[in-house]
Amino acid sequence: MSVMSVNNFELNVLNSKILLQKGDITKEATDAIVNAANNYLTPGGGVSGAIHRAAGPELAKECAKLGGCKTGEAKITLGYNLPAKYVIHTVGPVYSGKPSDKAYLEQCYKNSLLLADKKGLESISFPSISTGIFGYPVKEAAKIAINAIYDFLKTINSSQQSSLKIVKMILFSDSDFEEYKHAALQLKNKI
Ligand code: ADP
């Protein structure tokens, strides 16, 4: 593991790496970007609104044909005018303080990564799912996200060779970046 610069952090997991970066996910040229969507897969606000604006109206048209998406599940569309080829839409839990929140948030990361792997993608970028409008405390969500990504990469790379080489977390603010970096450092100290 190396600290590359103030707004960049990297954790190697067998043949893959987890990269933390501060930035705007709509600018990411990874094979896929992940959208923190709602159950109806309508554009909405937050990162979803930004992704739909950058992708153009074709994205909402494709989303409308998918029959919605349950919390914790993931669906894939094209990326249209985005630099990314695909958008993986996943629906995080609205924070309630119940233990099921954690399970649903873990499922979002796992199901998005499974979809990307099934499609043979090499790189994927996630936003901080559920920590905006859905109210999940960032400190807790960061720990869940980093551990879920790490567990997925470790498991899949030890049984078969995954296509996934780079998993990025794109954090929109300095404080979110610091929380995710803290969670990654804690994980590093355990492994
Ligand atoms: P949710 O409804 O799952 O909480 P939000 O879109 O409200 O989703 O927020 C999720 C996170 O995405 C928040 O941390 C928010 O600051 C961040 N975000 C908003 N716009 C962008 C963007 N363009 N790129 C990356 N992250 C973004």
Side-chain angles (χ1 to χ4, degrees), residues 1-6 8-12 17-20 177 181 185 188:
M1 175 188 281
S2 59
V3 179
M4 288 148 63
S5 74
V6 185
N8 248 309
F9 189 86
E10 189 177 315
L11 174 62
N12 291 310
K17 63 176 72 169
I18 303 173
L19 265 170
L20 310 182
F177 177 79
K181 190 167 104 178
L185 279 169
K188 189 212 161 198

mmCIF file of all heavy atoms in Angstrom, residues 1-6 8-12 17-20 177 181 185 188:
data_model
loop_
_atom_site.group_PDB
_atom_site.id
_atom_site.type_symbol
_atom_site.label_atom_id
_atom_site.label_comp_id
_atom_site.label_asym_id
_atom_site.label_seq_id
_atom_site.Cartn_x
_atom_site.Cartn_y
_atom_site.Cartn_z
ATOM 1 N N MET A 1 0.840 -1.199 0.000
ATOM 2 C CA MET A 1 0.000 0.000 0.000
ATOM 3 C C MET A 1 0.880 1.255 0.000
ATOM 4 O O MET A 1 1.917 1.290 0.614
ATOM 5 C CB MET A 1 -0.869 0.002 1.259
ATOM 6 C CG MET A 1 -1.677 1.256 1.394
ATOM 7 S SD MET A 1 -2.500 1.326 2.963
ATOM 8 C CE MET A 1 -3.869 0.246 2.640
ATOM 9 N N SER A 2 0.443 2.276 -0.726
ATOM 10 C CA SER A 2 1.219 3.506 -0.736
ATOM 11 C C SER A 2 0.288 4.714 -0.731
ATOM 12 O O SER A 2 -0.786 4.685 -1.319
ATOM 13 C CB SER A 2 2.090 3.566 -1.990
ATOM 14 O OG SER A 2 1.258 3.497 -3.134
ATOM 15 N N VAL A 3 0.694 5.733 -0.065
ATOM 16 C CA VAL A 3 -0.051 6.988 -0.098
ATOM 17 C C VAL A 3 0.546 7.794 -1.239
ATOM 18 O O VAL A 3 1.714 8.156 -1.212
ATOM 19 C CB VAL A 3 0.078 7.754 1.235
ATOM 20 C CG1 VAL A 3 -0.686 9.061 1.169
ATOM 21 C CG2 VAL A 3 -0.436 6.913 2.376
ATOM 22 N N MET A 4 -0.224 7.978 -2.312
ATOM 23 C CA MET A 4 0.323 8.596 -3.514
ATOM 24 C C MET A 4 0.335 10.115 -3.415
ATOM 25 O O MET A 4 1.273 10.762 -3.806
ATOM 26 C CB MET A 4 -0.476 8.158 -4.734
ATOM 27 C CG MET A 4 -0.196 6.688 -5.087
ATOM 28 S SD MET A 4 -1.598 5.845 -5.813
ATOM 29 C CE MET A 4 -1.810 6.785 -7.313
ATOM 30 N N SER A 5 -0.748 10.677 -2.939
ATOM 31 C CA SER A 5 -0.784 12.120 -2.708
ATOM 32 C C SER A 5 -1.915 12.368 -1.733
ATOM 33 O O SER A 5 -2.590 11.434 -1.322
ATOM 34 C CB SER A 5 -1.014 12.876 -4.012
ATOM 35 O OG SER A 5 -2.364 12.718 -4.403
ATOM 36 N N VAL A 6 -2.155 13.595 -1.388
ATOM 37 C CA VAL A 6 -3.154 13.911 -0.365
ATOM 38 C C VAL A 6 -4.531 13.382 -0.746
ATOM 39 O O VAL A 6 -5.264 12.880 0.089
ATOM 40 C CB VAL A 6 -3.217 15.437 -0.144
ATOM 41 C CG1 VAL A 6 -4.158 15.766 0.996
ATOM 42 C CG2 VAL A 6 -1.841 15.981 0.133
ATOM 43 N N ASN A 8 -5.345 10.876 -2.936
ATOM 44 C CA ASN A 8 -5.225 9.601 -3.623
ATOM 45 C C ASN A 8 -4.718 8.565 -2.639
ATOM 46 O O ASN A 8 -3.759 8.816 -1.940
ATOM 47 C CB ASN A 8 -4.152 9.734 -4.706
ATOM 48 C CG ASN A 8 -4.751 9.649 -6.077
ATOM 49 O OD1 ASN A 8 -5.503 8.728 -6.368
ATOM 50 N ND2 ASN A 8 -4.389 10.599 -6.905
ATOM 51 N N PHE A 9 -5.322 7.408 -2.629
ATOM 52 C CA PHE A 9 -4.909 6.380 -1.683
ATOM 53 C C PHE A 9 -5.140 5.027 -2.327
ATOM 54 O O PHE A 9 -6.152 4.825 -2.998
ATOM 55 C CB PHE A 9 -5.741 6.508 -0.403
ATOM 56 C CG PHE A 9 -5.271 5.651 0.707
ATOM 57 C CD1 PHE A 9 -4.277 6.084 1.556
ATOM 58 C CD2 PHE A 9 -5.827 4.396 0.909
ATOM 59 C CE1 PHE A 9 -3.834 5.289 2.604
ATOM 60 C CE2 PHE A 9 -5.391 3.596 1.940
ATOM 61 C CZ PHE A 9 -4.396 4.042 2.783
ATOM 62 N N GLU A 10 -4.213 4.092 -2.118
ATOM 63 C CA GLU A 10 -4.264 2.838 -2.859
ATOM 64 C C GLU A 10 -4.062 1.638 -1.926
ATOM 65 O O GLU A 10 -3.207 1.674 -1.059
ATOM 66 C CB GLU A 10 -3.129 2.886 -3.886
ATOM 67 C CG GLU A 10 -3.120 1.795 -4.877
ATOM 68 C CD GLU A 10 -1.993 1.997 -5.897
ATOM 69 O OE1 GLU A 10 -1.807 3.138 -6.392
ATOM 70 O OE2 GLU A 10 -1.294 1.012 -6.157
ATOM 71 N N LEU A 11 -4.867 0.593 -2.150
ATOM 72 C CA LEU A 11 -4.743 -0.639 -1.366
ATOM 73 C C LEU A 11 -4.741 -1.823 -2.330
ATOM 74 O O LEU A 11 -5.700 -2.016 -3.077
ATOM 75 C CB LEU A 11 -5.934 -0.730 -0.405
ATOM 76 C CG LEU A 11 -6.126 -1.986 0.435
ATOM 77 C CD1 LEU A 11 -4.966 -2.219 1.385
ATOM 78 C CD2 LEU A 11 -7.418 -1.872 1.254
ATOM 79 N N ASN A 12 -3.662 -2.590 -2.356
ATOM 80 C CA ASN A 12 -3.576 -3.740 -3.259
ATOM 81 C C ASN A 12 -4.247 -4.953 -2.641
ATOM 82 O O ASN A 12 -4.052 -5.237 -1.460
ATOM 83 C CB ASN A 12 -2.112 -4.064 -3.572
ATOM 84 C CG ASN A 12 -1.485 -2.978 -4.417
ATOM 85 O OD1 ASN A 12 -2.049 -2.583 -5.443
ATOM 86 N ND2 ASN A 12 -0.357 -2.457 -3.985
ATOM 87 N N LYS A 17 -6.628 -3.706 -7.331
ATOM 88 C CA LYS A 17 -6.387 -2.648 -6.343
ATOM 89 C C LYS A 17 -7.625 -1.809 -6.089
ATOM 90 O O LYS A 17 -8.460 -1.623 -6.975
ATOM 91 C CB LYS A 17 -5.203 -1.771 -6.732
ATOM 92 C CG LYS A 17 -5.340 -0.997 -8.003
ATOM 93 C CD LYS A 17 -4.148 -0.089 -8.230
ATOM 94 C CE LYS A 17 -2.899 -0.854 -8.598
ATOM 95 N NZ LYS A 17 -1.800 0.004 -9.063
ATOM 96 N N ILE A 18 -7.710 -1.344 -4.848
ATOM 97 C CA ILE A 18 -8.765 -0.403 -4.468
ATOM 98 C C ILE A 18 -8.111 0.970 -4.428
ATOM 99 O O ILE A 18 -7.067 1.143 -3.796
ATOM 100 C CB ILE A 18 -9.350 -0.734 -3.070
ATOM 101 C CG1 ILE A 18 -9.887 -2.163 -3.026
ATOM 102 C CG2 ILE A 18 -10.440 0.258 -2.697
ATOM 103 C CD1 ILE A 18 -10.323 -2.630 -1.628
ATOM 104 N N LEU A 19 -8.707 1.912 -5.147
ATOM 105 C CA LEU A 19 -8.157 3.271 -5.196
ATOM 106 C C LEU A 19 -9.171 4.249 -4.619
ATOM 107 O O LEU A 19 -10.342 4.218 -5.017
ATOM 108 C CB LEU A 19 -7.937 3.660 -6.650
ATOM 109 C CG LEU A 19 -6.581 3.459 -7.277
ATOM 110 C CD1 LEU A 19 -6.672 3.684 -8.777
ATOM 111 C CD2 LEU A 19 -5.595 4.455 -6.677
ATOM 112 N N LEU A 20 -8.731 5.088 -3.718
ATOM 113 C CA LEU A 20 -9.609 6.139 -3.201
ATOM 114 C C LEU A 20 -9.177 7.453 -3.826
ATOM 115 O O LEU A 20 -7.982 7.763 -3.852
ATOM 116 C CB LEU A 20 -9.488 6.264 -1.676
ATOM 117 C CG LEU A 20 -9.599 4.977 -0.859
ATOM 118 C CD1 LEU A 20 -9.515 5.318 0.632
ATOM 119 C CD2 LEU A 20 -10.893 4.250 -1.172
ATOM 120 N N PHE A 177 -13.453 11.846 1.747
ATOM 121 C CA PHE A 177 -12.195 11.188 1.380
ATOM 122 C C PHE A 177 -11.439 10.746 2.632
ATOM 123 O O PHE A 177 -10.944 9.625 2.719
ATOM 124 C CB PHE A 177 -11.332 12.121 0.523
ATOM 125 C CG PHE A 177 -9.997 11.522 0.179
ATOM 126 C CD1 PHE A 177 -9.876 10.593 -0.841
ATOM 127 C CD2 PHE A 177 -8.865 11.858 0.911
ATOM 128 C CE1 PHE A 177 -8.650 10.004 -1.142
ATOM 129 C CE2 PHE A 177 -7.636 11.280 0.621
ATOM 130 C CZ PHE A 177 -7.526 10.358 -0.406
ATOM 131 N N LYS A 181 -10.392 6.985 3.716
ATOM 132 C CA LYS A 181 -8.965 6.688 3.920
ATOM 133 C C LYS A 181 -8.743 6.075 5.305
ATOM 134 O O LYS A 181 -8.011 5.094 5.451
ATOM 135 C CB LYS A 181 -8.131 7.974 3.755
ATOM 136 C CG LYS A 181 -6.641 7.706 3.708
ATOM 137 C CD LYS A 181 -5.887 8.911 3.235
ATOM 138 C CE LYS A 181 -5.219 9.599 4.390
ATOM 139 N NZ LYS A 181 -4.433 10.760 3.968
ATOM 140 N N LEU A 185 -7.179 2.420 6.079
ATOM 141 C CA LEU A 185 -6.019 2.243 6.964
ATOM 142 C C LEU A 185 -6.328 1.253 8.077
ATOM 143 O O LEU A 185 -5.489 0.431 8.440
ATOM 144 C CB LEU A 185 -5.598 3.591 7.554
ATOM 145 C CG LEU A 185 -4.741 4.468 6.641
ATOM 146 C CD1 LEU A 185 -4.616 5.870 7.211
ATOM 147 C CD2 LEU A 185 -3.359 3.840 6.422
ATOM 148 N N LYS A 188 -6.169 -2.128 6.570
ATOM 149 C CA LYS A 188 -4.776 -2.485 6.297
ATOM 150 C C LYS A 188 -4.078 -3.001 7.566
ATOM 151 O O LYS A 188 -3.289 -3.945 7.520
ATOM 152 C CB LYS A 188 -4.036 -1.257 5.752
ATOM 153 C CG LYS A 188 -2.649 -1.588 5.235
ATOM 154 C CD LYS A 188 -1.715 -0.434 5.442
ATOM 155 C CE LYS A 188 -0.288 -0.917 5.370
ATOM 156 N NZ LYS A 188 0.614 0.049 5.981
#
